[in-house]
Amino acid sequence: MVGSGVIGLTCAVRLAEAGHRVEVVSDLAPGDTVSAVAGGLWFPYLAAPADAVLRWAEVSLRRFRELAADPASGVWWREGVVLHRAADPDLSWTAAVPAHRAARRAELPPGAVSGVVCSLPVVDTAAYLGRLVERCARLGVAFRRAVVADPADLPQRVVVVAAGLRSGALVGDPALTPVRGQVVRLANPGLTRWLVDDDNPAGMAYVIPRGHDVVCGGTAEAGETGTTHDSAVERAILDRVTELEPRLRDAPVVSRAVGLRPARPAVRVDRVERAGQVVVSCYGHGGAGVTLSWGCAADVVDLLDG
Ligand SMILES: Cc1cc2nc3c(=O)[nH]c(=O)nc-3n(C[C@H](O)[C@H](O)[C@H](O)COP(=O)(O)OP(=O)(O)OC[C@H]3O[C@@H](n4cnc5c(N)ncnc54)[C@H](O)[C@@H]3O)c2cc1C
């Protein structure tokens, strides 16, 4: 397995549960991956194709719902609202959500014309990646810190490439592109309800309360590769989110992060054989790696076990 982000670790868990001997090779610690930057809301954002995404997201939703029963999992099952500012929003994602309703007028901020209220998984990604590592360790998964230049350099007969944005370099795929995202995490003043406002005319906005902090975002800059925090961008994010949730106005900044989403016209989950080695690809999850993780990992197991 190349990669210890949410995709690599989830695949490692599922493969080890299925009886495979797994070694995870990665050059970054899980806490330093893009996965640790993710806001952690289950939501199929910036990922295609729609039918497979819905199927993967549905599998993950069920798994996260089970995990949320354990307070130590880093996963919560929380109610919130997806806002819409235009008529005819894309509601295809609601097909994967067991219960949802139209937002009442009092639940809509000025400018929003409708909304969907539902309960979804919220994942404290840094803590959750730690739980996945622990689960891997209990299942006997080995970990090695190294840069992989080519899957053929690895001694294993089967290699799963779950290397996020850098997967392209490993399998010769030019279709991956970065979509930069910046977040700021504020001390949680007691919020539990999340909020997504992607069509905000001032820029996308979301508020995702986890335990002690609230992830506030965001940005989605296609093709941008800079990972340095930008304070002007942060000020604009804070303006948008405090307009939507005034209780965040005096909340101190706990931490900040920037990550590059691994975007691809379609998420790649497939298997090829090269010179006696089986290479399974699992990457290109865009803005939905957490959301799709358990569904894609199930497909990876199927590709190997049939
Ligand atoms: C601001 C922001 C907010 C987001 N919010 C959400 C959200 O709310 N919900 C959601 O579902 N998704 C969200 N995402 C998207 C999500 O973070 C990604 O889809 C996901 O992290 C991709 O996971 P990954 O495991 O494929 O890649 P990564 O997390 O990038 O992990 C890649 C791994 O591969 C390893 N690697 C790469 N190349 C090599 C190599 N050559 N040799 C060795 N190791 C290598 C790295 O060390 C790392 O371990 C968000 C992203 C951003 C940036």
Side-chain angles (χ1 to χ4, degrees):
M1 172 75 55
V2 186
S4 66
V6 70
I7 300 300
L9 292 177
T10 311
C11 289
V13 166
R14 291 290 280 106
L15 285 166
E17 284 174 347
H20 292 271
R21 235 163 16 101
V22 182
E23 181 188 49
V24 174
V25 185
S26 66
D27 58 355
L28 298 177
D32 296 328
T33 62
V34 177
S35 300
V37 175
L41 180 68
W42 177 102
F43 199 79
Y45 172 66
L46 211 66
D51 51 349
V53 163
L54 201 62
R55 181 172 63 78
W56 289 322
E58 213 165 358
V59 172
S60 300
L61 188 88
R62 283 199 297 273
R63 183 73 186 119
F64 284 128
R65 185 158 200 177
E66 291 163 10
L67 290 171
D70 174 4
S73 63
V75 182
W76 294 269
W77 184 258
R78 287 195 159 156
E79 190 176 90
V81 60
V82 179
L83 301 172
H84 302 122
R85 292 178 182 257
D88 245 353
D90 174 12
L91 297 177
S92 54
W93 60 274
T94 58
V97 178
H100 51 87
R101 63 168 174 83
R104 292 183 277 269
R105 185 146 293 279
E107 290 171 304
L108 300 175
V113 297
S114 66
V116 176
V117 174
C118 57
S119 292
L120 295 178
V122 170
V123 180
D124 180 337
T125 37
Y128 174 68
L129 293 173
R131 298 295 92 76
L132 287 177
V133 169
E134 286 163 15
R135 176 86 184 121
C136 281
R138 281 198 300 277
L139 288 162
V141 173
F143 284 86
R144 186 157 64 88
R145 189 75 74 82
V147 179
V148 177
D150 187 325
D153 297 341
L154 295 170
Q156 283 86 359
R157 202 186 61 80
V158 177
V159 175
V160 178
V161 174
L165 188 59
R166 289 186 291 144
S167 301
L170 291 170
V171 293
D173 177 359
L176 274 161
T177 50
V179 176
R180 183 183 186 276
Q182 180 167 330
V183 294
V184 51
R185 305 179 189 113
L186 303 180
N188 191 347
L191 308 183
T192 56
R193 246 172 114 85
W194 51 264
L195 185 156
V196 173
D197 185 14
D198 276 352
D199 325 325
N200 190 315
M204 72 188 290
Y206 52 83
V207 172
I208 308 174
R210 309 192 296 185
H212 298 299
D213 66 6
V214 181
V215 183
C216 300
T219 57
E221 300 159 87
E224 287 297 324
T225 52
T227 53
T228 311
H229 159 263
D230 182 325
S231 47
V233 168
E234 179 175 302
R235 267 194 307 280
I237 290 173
L238 289 172
D239 285 348
R240 297 198 289 276
V241 299
T242 51
E243 179 84 29
L244 291 164
E245 179 43 88
R247 282 175 290 178
L248 289 171
R249 269 196 187 122
D250 298 321
V253 172
V254 176
S255 59
R256 14 178 88 92
V258 175
L260 304 179
R261 300 175 181 91
R264 196 174 184 274
V267 177
R268 182 170 182 191
V269 183
D270 65 14
R271 165 192 170 133
V272 292
E273 300 205 24
R274 283 197 311 206
Q277 192 180 48
V278 174
V279 177
V280 175
S281 293
C282 188
Y283 61 80
H285 298 84
V290 178
T291 308
L292 307 180
S293 53
W294 289 101
C296 289
D299 277 14
V300 165
V301 174
D302 284 350
L303 283 170
L304 291 174
D305 292 350

